[in-house]
Amino acid sequence: MSALSRGLISRLRLRLLSLNPATSSSSSTCTAIPAAHATTTSYSHFFRCFSSEALVDGAEIAEDRSRVIEAKPGVMTPQSKRTGVIAVKCGMSARWDKWGARVPITVLWVDDNIVSQVKTPEKEGISALQIGCGQKKAKHLTKPEVGHFRAQGVPLKRKLREFPVTEDALLPVGMSIGVRHFVPGQYVDVTGITRGKGFQGGMKRYGFRGMPASHGASKSHRSIGSTGQRDDAGRVFKGRKMPGRMGGKQRTVKNVWIYKIDPARNLIWVRGQVPGAEGNFVFIKDAFYKKPDVSMLPFPTYFSPEDEDPSKLEPLVADLGEVDPFMAAD
C-alpha cells in the first residue's frame, strides 16, 4: 500500500471518530464500528462503504460457485469440444482388412483414465478437465502431488494432462473414461514426445544432400557446406540448419484414423504411426481438421449401462463399406 493511501485512510478514520455516531449514521453512507468496541486500540476501527445499488447480485455468484456437475448424456453441437484421453503406446503391428489390404497398426492402451480435477469459469476462469492415467505409489510422488490427489478425493495417478473443453462437456471428478469415448472410423489427433536420437549431422537431421562422394571433397563427404558469407554480413544468421540434437520434442500427428476398438482390454488400434517410443504416454483427442460427425460421438463421454460386463464385449471395427477397393478400378 502506498504512503498516500495510508495517509488517506488515517484521515478518514480520524474524521469518523470526530463525528457524532447519530449524525454520521444519517448523513453518511459509511458504517463504522461502535465506540464501545473502540477503547482497545485505534487500529480496531474499520469501516466499509456501501453503494446505493449492487453491481453484481450476490445470489447469482453463490449459485454459480455451487453449481453441481452431473454425469449424464447430453446433445453435442458443432461448437462443442470434448475431452481427450491419455494412452500408452504399446507398439506397431499390421492387420489385413476384409478386402485383403494390409493396414499398418499402432496399438494404444487407455489405462484407467479418470477425471482428477474440474476447472470452471467461475473459479479458475477457464473450462477444462484434468485427466489422470495409470497408478502410482505415494512414495514415488512428491508431497504437493499427493496433497492434490487427496484434496480431489481421487486415486494416485501416474500421468496428468489438462484438456480444454466447452462448458457443456464438463464431467464430475472421479468419472471414468474408457476407449468407448471414441468410435471406430473417426479421426483423432495424437500428441506425444518423439524418440530422442541424440546429436546428429545435417544429412540425417534435415535431409541435406552432402558434398561430392568422390572428386573435390576431402574427408567432408557428409558436410553441410557453407553456413554464411564473407564480409557482408560476415556472420551466421539465426535459425540456420546445422548439426544438433535431434528428436525428443512434442509433436502431433493429425487425422489419425481409428481402425478398431477393444473395450474388454481398453485398446485402440489406429492406422499409421504416432510419435513416441514403446511405453511412452500419448494424448488422444478429436481431430481438429477432419471433425467427426457429432451424431456418432457419445457426449460428453460414453456412459455404460449398469448391467454391462466390459470383459464380454466384442471388439468394434470400422465400417469399410461394401465396395471392394481393388475391384473398383476395373
Side-chain angles (χ1 to χ4, degrees):
M1 183 182 294
S2 63
L4 180 61
S5 301
R6 290 195 295 268
L8 181 59
I9 292 177
S10 300
R11 293 179 62 183
L12 288 175
R13 286 176 177 173
L14 294 175
R15 178 63 177 171
L16 288 174
L17 290 176
S18 62
L19 292 176
N20 188 12
T23 307
S24 61
S25 62
S26 60
S27 62
S28 175
T29 58
C30 299
T31 61
I33 297 179
H37 301 280
T39 57
T40 56
T41 177
S42 61
Y43 293 101
S44 62
H45 298 282
F46 298 97
F47 65 94
R48 178 175 297 175
C49 297
F50 299 92
S51 60
S52 59
E53 56 182 10
L55 297 178
V56 180
D57 190 4
E60 295 181 0
I61 298 178
E63 182 180 357
D64 293 338
R65 290 186 177 273
S66 61
R67 182 179 56 165
V68 177
I69 300 175
E70 299 180 357
K72 60 180 181 180
V75 179
M76 186 174 182
T77 63
Q79 291 75 27
S80 300
K81 187 176 184 180
R82 305 191 308 161
T83 181
V85 300
I86 307 174
V88 180
K89 182 178 178 180
C90 299
M92 291 197 67
S93 181
R95 291 291 183 271
W96 281 261
D97 59 16
K98 66 177 183 179
W99 306 116
R102 185 179 183 273
V103 183
I105 292 296
T106 300
V107 182
L108 304 176
W109 175 37
V110 181
D111 181 19
D112 191 18
N113 279 218
I114 65 170
V115 179
S116 58
Q117 186 181 4
V118 180
K119 295 187 177 182
T120 58
E122 296 81 20
K123 187 175 181 181
E124 288 84 8
I126 59 174
S127 180
L129 292 177
Q130 185 188 83
I131 306 299
C133 173
Q135 296 84 24
K136 205 169 186 179
K137 296 182 180 179
K139 65 179 182 180
H140 296 151
L141 293 172
T142 62
K143 289 184 179 180
E145 291 174 339
V146 175
H148 170 72
F149 290 119
R150 290 178 177 174
Q152 300 295 330
V154 296
L156 305 182
K157 290 298 177 180
R158 184 182 173 193
K159 187 69 173 179
L160 295 177
R161 178 76 171 191
E162 182 178 303
F163 295 94
V165 299
T166 53
E167 291 194 41
D168 56 349
L170 291 175
L171 293 169
V173 175
M175 180 70 187
S176 178
I177 302 177
V179 296
R180 299 291 294 273
H181 184 73
F182 302 104
V183 295
Q186 81 164 102
Y187 290 90
V188 293
D189 294 340
V190 183
T191 303
I193 305 298
T194 59
R195 290 174 179 262
K197 300 182 181 299
F199 194 96
Q200 299 297 332
M203 293 183 66
K204 180 174 181 178
R205 193 181 185 196
Y206 294 110
F208 285 179
R209 179 173 177 267
M211 303 300 286
S214 58
H215 301 287
S218 176
K219 299 181 181 180
S220 60
H221 305 290
R222 297 182 65 85
S223 174
I224 63 174
S226 175
T227 59
Q229 310 80 26
R230 289 185 70 183
D231 292 338
D232 190 14
R235 63 187 178 88
V236 179
F237 291 111
K238 292 182 179 180
R240 172 67 178 170
K241 294 181 179 179
M242 302 179 70
R245 188 176 185 274
M246 181 179 179
K249 297 182 179 180
Q250 178 175 299
R251 291 293 181 264
T252 300
V253 178
K254 299 182 181 297
N255 304 328
V256 181
W257 186 63
I258 295 182
Y259 171 74
K260 184 180 177 181
I261 286 178
D262 189 354
R265 296 185 292 173
N266 277 337
L267 296 179
I268 301 179
W269 280 265
V270 297
R271 182 174 60 187
Q273 74 282 357
V274 299
E278 295 182 5
N280 286 9
F281 288 102
V282 296
F283 313 107
I284 313 172
K285 58 184 179 181
D286 296 333
F288 180 79
Y289 292 106
K290 292 187 177 181
K291 297 184 182 296
D293 186 7
V294 297
S295 61
M296 62 182 293
L297 296 180
F299 186 79
T301 187
Y302 176 77
F303 297 93
S304 59
E306 296 181 358
D307 56 348
E308 183 180 76
D309 187 4
S311 61
K312 297 182 179 179
L313 296 178
E314 297 294 331
L316 306 175
V317 184
D319 185 14
L320 302 177
E322 300 298 332
V323 179
D324 190 348
F326 298 101
M327 302 299 294
D330 299 338

